[in-house]
Amino acid sequence: MVRRKIPVRPAVLILAVLPLLPSQDAGKENASIRGTVKEFPGGAPAPEVSIRLHGSTMSREVSTDSSGRYELTDIHPGNYSLSTHGAHYGRTPLGVLAPIKRVRLVPGQDMTVDFEVKKEAGIAGRVLDVDKNPVPNARIQVWARIFIGGSPSFGQCGSARTNDLGEFRVSGLADGRYYISAGIRLLPFRKRPAGAKQDTKPKLADVGVFYPSGLSVVSAAPIDLGAGEQREGIDLALPRMETYCLSGSVAAGAASSGNLGLIAFDGGWRGYIAQGAFRGNEEFEVCGIPPGFYHLEASTSIDGTHLSFGRAEVMIGRRHESVGPVHLVSGVKVPGKVIIVGANPPEPLPKGIRVSLTPIQGRLIRKGEEISAQVDTAGDFTIPNVFPDERWLEVRQLPPRYYVKEARMGAQDARYEPIRPGSSELTIVLAPDGASVSGTVAEQDGVVPPEVIVVLAPSPLPQTGAPGLVRTQWADQAGGFAFDTVVPGEYFLLAFMGLLPGEGENLDFLRAHLSKAEELTLKPRDRKSANLKVLNAH
């Protein structure tokens, strides 16, 4: 692997390259942003598009006028994101009309930021059964590939139901690559009669399908849409195949009744195929399940708030299966302590630090969970109510130059492996000597391309790691970037255009590009700068 060492420049030089970085002594004069939003293709003004400004100190929202113009005034200096929202244009998998733009405002600045929104694309077709008969009221879902915490996943971008002729249309899509699925209905859970013998024969049934005829997203054919394109003739034929039943029970004691869900997983995609209810000590059954890997989830709730929760992994092969009893667990409290390296015991911690335990990819935050807590000035915290399944640790709102040096729950290193709440106290060690790196990105001719994401990854690249171990950020309107509060150590630094949402945190993707990475060594309190060339992600 060929690696290029980054030449270290004095930190003051970066101010000459990034005139838009805020100054410590610039005063309190506020700034403004104005611009136009136009349609692509054609360049016509885009009226009634919502422009949302969001930053750590303030948020604002305005709409474009009939000429596609907008203006945001009286903005505090600092770092902000600008996003576009509205109807009649194509929405990206992130739910916005155009790529989010990051800006840095200095006192008194009047900045121009223009957007280009694309005419909405659509997909239309029919759903048929194996006998070529139309399937009414079939569920249509449109998916796009994304990454969550660096893990491959799929986000739903649109949905529809077929009419009595089996026809459907999904609108409001941006240009891009999509996958489409069709299914008849969610399978119902039902009470299994006591003493009933299970039929050992499979049942023929129509099952869900990914376009054109795949049983999973892995075997699906992608549909590539251009801006404003209306794709017709996307027909899906539901296969008829042998299906099986799943029976089981939920352990009584935690509650007398609750809800059940059967969730399919494949290639980062997840989707419910069955929902229903259970009663304690009663055996349930759901039939019509095609072969595959599933999670069976059981939960109890009051007024929509989950009180207890349980999960079992299920593999449906070529026979009926039984599971259980599924044991329910309640949320647990997670106590913890935050300390600072070298601090005197009486010295209070900075205010505002929050500790969170977020679900690993494919798991949801259940309603009623309280997965984060604020650390008091003595360093103590208690996360109030977390279900005890695997979680990633996140420490947020750290003051400048503070970083997580160590984090452990028992023998587990919470920086590199998921932890299970309830096993022991969580201990977090902070250090106040973080480094920083900043710089600019540009193409070969010095032009700043749009939609560039800069990636700062530890070297060597670990096999696994908690969210935030690989850090990413959008380059601003001048091509600038700045990573503050960086853990001292060895790093790779890259800049990409054309990344899918969240792809810059994917370790497998990064490994394929390390031969083109810049290599950087950061010592405690270092301030370094670099100029990066932009790589095409694909």
Side-chain angles (χ1 to χ4, degrees):
M1 179 174 66
V2 178
R3 298 176 179 170
R4 293 171 287 168
K5 286 284 186 179
I6 290 181
V8 179
R9 307 169 181 80
V12 293
L13 291 184
I14 195 63
L15 297 179
V17 180
L18 287 175
L20 296 177
L21 287 174
S23 168
Q24 296 285 336
D25 304 315
K28 299 182 179 180
E29 187 178 358
N30 289 337
S32 62
I33 301 174
R34 68 188 76 242
T36 59
V37 182
K38 295 182 179 180
E39 294 182 355
F40 176 86
E48 299 180 8
V49 171
S50 175
I51 309 295
R52 297 178 188 174
L53 175 84
H54 180 73
S56 60
T57 59
M58 65 181 300
S59 297
R60 194 79 56 76
E61 182 173 352
V62 297
S63 294
T64 56
D65 60 20
S66 58
S67 300
R69 299 182 181 276
Y70 74 93
E71 184 176 11
L72 291 155
T73 59
D74 199 27
I75 307 170
H76 302 160
N79 299 329
Y80 295 91
S81 65
L82 282 168
S83 59
T84 50
H85 306 265
H88 312 304
Y89 298 100
R91 293 182 299 276
T92 73
L94 295 178
V96 296
L97 305 183
I100 298 172
K101 295 190 177 183
R102 269 63 177 183
V103 298
R104 302 183 185 191
L105 295 173
V106 298
Q109 185 173 8
D110 187 5
M111 182 184 293
T112 298
V113 180
D114 297 330
F115 288 93
E116 192 174 65
V117 294
K118 297 179 180 180
K119 294 181 179 179
E120 63 178 336
I123 298 174
R126 298 184 302 163
V127 178
L128 308 172
D129 62 19
V130 292
D131 300 319
K132 306 299 182 183
N133 297 315
V135 179
N137 203 35
R139 295 184 303 140
I140 305 298
Q141 294 172 294
V142 178
W143 308 87
R145 191 164 179 255
I146 60 173
F147 291 81
I148 299 177
S151 298
S153 186
F154 287 84
Q156 185 176 324
C157 300
S159 62
R161 290 274 183 176
T162 57
N163 62 18
D164 57 349
L165 300 177
E167 300 168 333
F168 70 88
R169 179 176 294 276
V170 180
S171 301
L173 303 174
D175 60 324
R177 172 164 287 189
Y178 298 97
Y179 302 82
I180 187 166
S181 65
I184 299 178
R185 66 186 185 281
L186 289 174
L187 300 173
F189 284 89
R190 59 175 180 261
K191 177 183 176 182
R192 190 163 183 264
K197 293 183 178 180
Q198 192 172 59
D199 188 352
T200 59
K201 296 180 180 180
K203 301 292 186 182
L204 286 175
D206 293 343
V207 300
V209 65
F210 282 85
Y211 177 80
S213 57
L215 295 179
S216 73
V217 70
V218 175
S219 57
I223 299 171
D224 293 313
L225 292 179
E229 180 182 359
Q230 300 299 318
R231 183 73 62 85
E232 307 282 344
I234 302 300
D235 296 343
L236 299 95
L238 299 182
R240 187 168 297 159
M241 60 185 300
E242 292 182 344
T243 62
Y244 301 86
C245 297
L246 173 67
S247 61
S249 64
V250 178
S256 60
S257 63
N259 299 312
L260 290 168
L262 189 65
I263 305 171
F265 284 85
D266 190 14
W269 173 84
R270 70 188 309 273
Y272 279 89
I273 71 163
Q275 286 184 329
F278 73 87
R279 293 187 64 84
N281 292 327
E282 288 184 352
E283 194 169 11
F284 59 79
E285 185 178 61
V286 56
C287 294
I289 308 171
F293 177 73
Y294 302 91
H295 280 174
L296 176 68
E297 297 187 350
S299 63
T300 64
S301 62
I302 295 179
D303 297 329
T305 297
H306 290 275
L307 302 177
S308 58
F309 178 74
R311 177 188 291 113
E313 296 182 350
V314 179
M315 175 63 75
I316 301 294
R318 297 293 178 182
R319 64 179 186 181
H320 303 298
E321 295 289 347
S322 180
V323 66
V326 177
H327 293 276
L328 300 177
V329 295
S330 301
V332 298
K333 293 182 179 180
V334 180
K337 183 74 174 181
V338 176
I339 60 177
I340 300 175
V341 173
N344 296 320
E347 184 178 340
L349 262 71
K351 294 181 179 180
I353 300 173
R354 293 195 69 84
V355 177
S356 300
L357 294 176
T358 60
I360 65 174
Q361 200 272 337
R363 310 290 171 88
L364 299 175
I365 298 175
R366 302 289 164 181
K367 189 173 182 180
E369 279 193 294
E370 297 181 59
I371 66 170
S372 66
Q374 185 162 313
V375 182
D376 65 25
T377 55
D380 298 310
F381 66 89
T382 299
I383 298 176
N385 183 34
V386 184
F387 286 118
D389 55 2
E390 290 186 321
R391 307 279 171 146
W392 286 116
L393 169 68
E394 293 189 57
V395 183
R396 302 174 179 175
Q397 298 173 223
L398 288 170
R401 297 201 176 276
Y402 279 76
Y403 62 90
V404 178
K405 186 180 182 68
E406 297 178 20
R408 291 195 171 275
M409 179 174 279
Q412 289 183 290
D413 188 336
R415 295 174 302 167
Y416 298 101
E417 55 185 323
I419 56 178
R420 187 175 293 274
S423 59
S424 61
E425 184 178 75
L426 181 57
T427 302
I428 300 169
V429 180
L430 303 180
D433 57 358
S436 64
V437 57
S438 56
T440 56
V441 299
E443 290 183 327
Q444 295 289 344
D445 56 2
V447 175
V448 177
E451 306 170 37
V452 173
I453 292 179
V454 183
V455 179
L456 182 69
S459 173
L461 206 61
Q463 293 300 313
T464 61
L469 188 67
V470 175
R471 296 174 59 177
T472 65
Q473 65 175 244
W474 293 81
D476 65 20
Q477 75 282 357
F481 66 90
F483 291 97
D484 298 317
T485 315
V486 181
V487 180
E490 303 288 331
Y491 288 91
F492 295 114
L493 196 58
L494 305 100
F496 294 99
M497 58 187 304
L499 284 175
L500 296 173
E503 190 175 17
E505 300 170 48
N506 181 261
L507 299 178
D508 291 335
F509 168 80
L510 293 177
R511 287 190 186 95
H513 293 83
L514 291 184
S515 62
K516 301 176 184 177
E518 305 285 3
E519 193 177 62
L520 175 67
T521 299
L522 291 175
K523 297 179 180 179
R525 302 187 184 278
D526 263 357
R527 298 180 64 188
K528 292 187 177 180
S529 62
N531 296 329
L532 299 178
K533 296 188 182 300
V534 179
L535 306 174
N536 285 314
H538 301 285

